[in-house]
Amino acid sequence: MSGYGSPATGVVVPAAPMPAQATVWAGSHQAPLLDAARLALARDLQLAFRKRGQLVQPLAFFAMVTMLFPLAISPELARLREIAPGVLWAGALLASLLALEFLFRDDAYDGTLEQYALSGQSLTWLIFAKTVAHWLLTGLPLALMAPLAALSLGVSEAAVPGIVASVAVGSVALSLIGSIGAALTLGIKRSGALLSLLTLPLSLPVLIFGARATQLAITGGPLRAPLELLAALAVLGVTLAPLAAAAAVRISLE
Amino acid sequence: MHDERLDVESLHLWRGDRHVLRGVCFSLASGECLQVTGPNGSGKTSLLRTVCGLMYPEAGRVLWEGRDVRSDLRTFHCALVYLGHEPPLKADLSARENLRYWIGVRHRFGAAALEDALERVGASPWCERLVRTLSAGQRRRVALAGLALSMVPLWLLDEPTTNLDTEGQQLVGSLIGEQLSRGGMVLAAVHHELPASLRELRRLELAA
């Protein structure tokens, strides 16, 4: 280490015009955790509405997949009804995978994740807020679109509430599981394929129970059991996924 | 209030088979500025990232107020702001929105403080424009506004004067001067020397 810099030459530093309260460091004004999480959520929502293309892409994909089946297979309603749960859920799973790539990518590039990690707030909560935003922007719209897709597959209107519920709850689990995969693949270029490879096996229980719930909703059976299993997966995801994703994000920043 | 102090004890950092930091030691007391110089690839950025806890050193410690920061990273992070060589801004938000989210996640501030900070860096006329339409120098100024807005004792700055015009470079100097005069500390990795008029300007030279 070397000594002090040379004394003042030329450049004049103006006398600091500081307000009186400025000498107090912000430690005392630390934003409450919930405010910070709400800001992180609001930021993602606002950004998503500024970049609508990215928002619409997975939804358009879901609509196309589910609407191509009746055209490709047959207009026979009984047959379509039979494959409807599989089509709906495979479509929803792939659409949510498609959206996952964007979950952390931009934030990793522009240094937002770094700032979150250094914010003095719980990174786990901020990541959770991001995942909630992600669900609001993909999972929820998918659940709202599911009835349309179901109707195009010849499903009766009576099944609509059950289908919406199963997609809504199942997509919560999908977003949370996906957040771990997205965080783990952060440091990797062209991570899309690896992300699917990591996330798909973990998502299979959601696919199985979701399709089962949808099937029962269509046939009018009791769909409480698979719905509860989906909810259990979602709760497990809420408690564990943000922790794992935050740890993975931290590693990616190193 | 003026008992903040940063001590860095013989940091060793390896990246793959490169020994990037070889026993870096320094300490920084209230009102001091240390500029880290050295050729490209000498580990200036790595030093800053290790000090703020993003990178794990193989050996050595970072002490904040005498305590190892690893034992309580959260408290340490509340006391610092780190500005990397790219301003952490969203291209699709305006300058003002960016600041509101970026600094708002950290701590509370009033609307007036936000306007003051924008005014201070000369960003008021274009603070409603989306960051994607701003020049690199203007983005840097927005990042500086974030610095002015975050009232924390320790600033870690990576090339704070990049892309700035002469007036902007003086702005960096005066912001640092204000930070020091209120008892803060600045650790800056620089290529261009910071304005020499700053009191307590020390230099740490990293070898290639």
Side-chain angles (χ1 to χ4, degrees), chain A residues 1, chain B residues 26 28 32-36 186-188 202-204:
Chain A
M1 175 169 357
Chain B
F26 63 87
L28 207 53
E32 286 183 333
C33 173
L34 182 66
Q35 49 177 337
V36 184
V186 177
L187 178 61
R202 300 184 324 184
R203 188 183 313 144
L204 174 70

Side-chain angles (χ1 to χ4, degrees), chain A residues 2 5-6 11 13 18 25-26 29 31-32 39 46 50-51 107 110 114-115 117-118 120-121 253-254, chain B residues 1 4 49 56 74 77-78 82 88 90 92 97 101-102 104-108 151-152 182 196-197 201 203:
Chain A
S2 67
S6 53
V11 188
V13 181
M18 295 311 300
W25 300 124
H29 309 296
L39 272 177
Q46 189 170 7
R50 295 262 160 94
K51 291 188 287 190
D107 284 359
D110 61 28
E114 206 166 83
Q115 291 296 328
L118 295 174
Q121 306 285 3
L253 290 177
E254 198 178 335
Chain B
M1 204 195 84
E4 288 95 3
R49 293 176 66 88
Y56 288 74
R74 193 83 66 80
H77 287 163
C78 288
Y82 168 73
K90 289 282 177 199
D92 290 294
E97 288 162 345
Y101 288 124
W102 167 32
V105 165
R106 305 184 57 108
H107 68 88
R108 293 174 170 173
M151 283 293 166
V152 292
R182 59 178 171 250
S197 56
L201 190 62
R203 188 183 313 144

Side-chain angles (χ1 to χ4, degrees), chain B:
Chain B
M1 204 195 84
H2 286 265
D3 54 354
E4 288 95 3
R5 132 172 222 100
L6 178 76
D7 295 284
V8 170
E9 294 179 350
S10 57
L11 280 186
H12 286 269
L13 181 79
W14 289 79
R15 303 303 279 170
D17 55 359
R18 274 193 324 122
H19 197 174
V20 182
L21 301 179
R22 288 160 290 195
V24 177
C25 286
F26 63 87
S27 53
L28 207 53
S30 198
E32 286 183 333
C33 173
L34 182 66
Q35 49 177 337
V36 184
T37 57
N40 292 336
S42 58
K44 298 189 293 294
T45 299
S46 298
L47 176 63
L48 290 189
R49 293 176 66 88
T50 309
V51 167
C52 69
L54 288 172
M55 286 179 172
Y56 288 74
E58 266 66 31
R61 296 192 301 168
V62 178
L63 304 173
W64 177 248
E65 294 172 346
R67 280 195 304 274
D68 193 333
V69 297
R70 288 278 160 208
S71 65
D72 189 2
L73 264 183
R74 193 83 66 80
T75 308
F76 182 48
H77 287 163
C78 288
L80 70 80
V81 59
Y82 168 73
L83 215 54
H85 23 198
E86 287 299 319
L89 303 174
K90 289 282 177 199
D92 290 294
L93 295 176
S94 73
R96 180 188 278 134
E97 288 162 345
N98 261 299
L99 285 177
R100 207 162 49 216
Y101 288 124
W102 167 32
I103 306 300
V105 165
R106 305 184 57 108
H107 68 88
R108 293 174 170 173
F109 52 84
L114 180 59
E115 298 312 317
D116 284 350
L118 286 166
E119 179 78 49
R120 184 79 180 79
V121 299
S124 296
W126 38 264
C127 67
E128 297 294 349
R129 275 166 58 190
L130 293 190
V131 163
R132 69 162 68 258
T133 68
L134 300 180
S135 75
Q138 286 174 317
R139 290 177 200 199
R140 174 60 59 180
R141 280 170 185 263
V142 178
L144 291 177
L147 208 56
L149 198 53
S150 40
M151 283 293 166
V152 292
L154 178 60
W155 288 3
L156 302 168
L157 312 178
D158 199 348
E159 307 286 359
T161 53
T162 315
N163 296 326
L164 288 174
D165 49 20
T166 323
E167 186 216 342
Q169 297 185 4
Q170 286 180 22
L171 173 69
V172 172
S174 63
L175 282 173
I176 292 178
E178 287 165 24
Q179 165 76 351
L180 299 182
S181 67
R182 59 178 171 250
M185 291 163 239
V186 177
L187 178 61
V190 291
H191 268 304
H192 313 286
E193 296 269 314
L194 294 170
S197 56
L198 293 167
R199 293 172 299 127
E200 303 295 336
L201 190 62
R202 300 184 324 184
R203 188 183 313 144
L204 174 70
E205 178 105 27
L206 295 178

